[in-house]
Amino acid sequence: MPFILGALALLGAAYFWYSRMRGAADMAGELMEAAGDVRAAARRFGYKLRRKEHPVDGVEEPVVAAAGIAEAFISLDDLPTRGQRTGILQGLQKAYRVDLNGAEEAAVLGRWLVGQCGAPDAAISRIVKKLHSLGGQGALQPLLTVLDTAAGAEGGSLGPRQQEALAEISRRFGV
């Protein structure tokens, strides 16, 4: 009898560990799928991650920089809503004349860039600097179109941190 109970306990423990490992494998698969989306977006925009360089420094397309700034902007004061994310896509389509697929891929890459910066404040500061170096003064108006569309997507008003971010953007562009 003790052998049967020991065998059942061993089978129960094996099943428990098997189910935990399977859950971890499923989660790893989802992470790899998300990483695949970022890789596909990077390929579309010719983004190259260089060694010993911050990921933002590899951005060469203003639409990607604007998407990153917009993603960071909507997450400054509160969690982003679906309407705000849709507003980003619409703003990118209108300001940069890209199709919906291109806007979605720019947003995916922009969201990844924000994650690489660590915090939305740091992301805005760093990506705005990069956008200014890419497009100069002419890059401000399309960016403001995207931010306006994203912020006004659900009739919301700007929070205090978002207002500070707009002031920093204006300062960076010398407005």
Side-chain angles (χ1 to χ4, degrees):
M1 187 69 150
F3 293 114
I4 295 173
L5 289 175
L8 286 176
L10 196 59
L11 285 173
Y15 176 74
F16 174 76
W17 286 106
Y18 171 75
S19 64
R20 286 190 56 137
M21 285 188 279
R22 186 174 183 163
D26 290 344
M27 192 180 338
E30 289 175 14
L31 286 174
M32 292 305 290
E33 195 173 293
D37 291 345
V38 172
R39 278 195 300 262
R43 221 174 292 125
R44 176 186 173 108
F45 292 106
Y47 175 82
K48 294 211 185 336
L49 184 60
R50 298 180 195 104
R51 296 183 82 185
K52 298 183 181 184
E53 217 177 63
H54 193 275
V56 171
D57 296 335
V59 173
E60 297 297 328
E61 292 289 327
V63 65
V64 174
I69 293 166
E71 287 288 341
F73 185 78
I74 64 171
S75 60
L76 275 174
D77 285 317
D78 208 0
L79 291 176
T81 63
R82 181 170 296 195
Q84 289 172 325
R85 292 202 190 269
T86 303
I88 290 174
L89 298 178
Q90 291 170 348
L92 290 172
Q93 287 177 302
K94 185 167 53 170
Y96 292 96
R97 304 201 193 294
V98 294
D99 60 350
L100 179 60
N101 190 34
E104 287 173 342
E105 288 182 340
V108 165
L109 192 53
R111 204 170 305 129
W112 178 78
L113 288 170
V114 171
Q116 297 302 304
C117 291
D121 295 354
I124 288 174
S125 179
R126 186 170 214 132
I127 302 172
V128 163
K129 182 179 175 184
K130 180 64 179 181
L131 180 62
H132 187 265
S133 71
L134 286 174
Q137 197 70 17
L140 179 62
Q141 191 54 47
L143 172 64
L144 291 178
T145 300
V146 174
L147 295 181
D148 185 47
T149 307
E154 294 180 335
S157 61
L158 295 179
R161 291 178 65 200
Q162 290 174 330
Q163 291 173 354
E164 289 173 22
L166 283 177
E168 178 176 339
I169 290 169
S170 296
R171 185 180 55 76
R172 290 276 182 165
F173 278 94
V175 177

